[in-house]
Amino acid sequence: MLWISADPRGAHELAAMLSGDVLWVTWTGLAPLAIVSALFLLLKATSGRTWTVERGFYPWFAILVSLSVPLLGLYLVFATLIVPALLRAVRPTLGAAATVAIGSGGYAAGLLVSVAADLPSGPCIVLALIALAVIALAIAGNRHRSRRPALAAAPPARSASSGSESPSDWRPQARRTRSRR
């Protein structure tokens, strides 16, 4: 930050690092990321799940993120990592294909809005990713609610002489289960 503040073009450099220049990525700038990504996918496909989870994931993750940030910008890289993962964490019933479709749709919608409104592409993609994730959660939430069985109607209210419970005490009681060890 100190070096950027002393540079006359520091504000532009900082903005480029945060929001990226997605539309101006060249093939020579993309080549190192493409090569490392292909190597990672090849090693993952040939080595199995154990290699990527236990030993190799974090170094590869650091390398891939470091190569992605100058091209896409900090906002876009982390939104791409966080939004789909958060979507799956909140609604685990969404499959991987749905999550990939939402991510791809967010990129496409963000680029279309960016071109149509002449706005920076990185922030437009981030906002489109978030918007599509919220829409997906709303749709999945409505489908989830419609599948729930309706709660049984509460029994009629008792008179004051028949018991000490008030009508507000009539709530479904949770079942208690013992954990077996």
Side-chain angles (χ1 to χ4, degrees), residues 36 40 56-68 77-78 81:
V36 173
F40 173 75
F57 176 74
Y58 290 111
W60 283 97
F61 179 77
I63 292 167
L64 288 169
V65 167
S66 298
L67 290 172
S68 299
V77 168
F78 284 98
L81 291 170

Side-chain angles (χ1 to χ4, degrees), residues 19-96:
S19 61
D21 290 328
V22 177
L23 299 178
W24 300 107
V25 174
T26 62
W27 288 109
T28 56
L30 189 61
L33 178 61
I35 291 168
V36 173
S37 297
L39 284 173
F40 173 75
L41 292 173
L42 179 69
L43 285 171
K44 183 177 188 284
T46 58
S47 300
R49 186 179 192 295
T50 305
W51 177 82
T52 55
V53 172
E54 291 179 0
R55 290 181 241 145
F57 176 74
Y58 290 111
W60 283 97
F61 179 77
I63 292 167
L64 288 169
V65 167
S66 298
L67 290 172
S68 299
V69 168
L71 300 177
L72 302 175
L74 192 66
Y75 296 144
L76 188 53
V77 168
F78 284 98
T80 303
L81 291 170
I82 292 169
V83 171
L86 184 61
L87 188 60
R88 285 288 301 267
V90 171
R91 189 66 64 203
T93 56
L94 285 175

Side-chain angles (χ1 to χ4, degrees), residues 17 56 77 80 86 90 103-104 112-113 128 134 153-154 157 164 167:
M17 183 179 68
V77 168
T80 303
L86 184 61
V90 171
S104 301
L112 287 173
V113 168
V134 168
S164 62

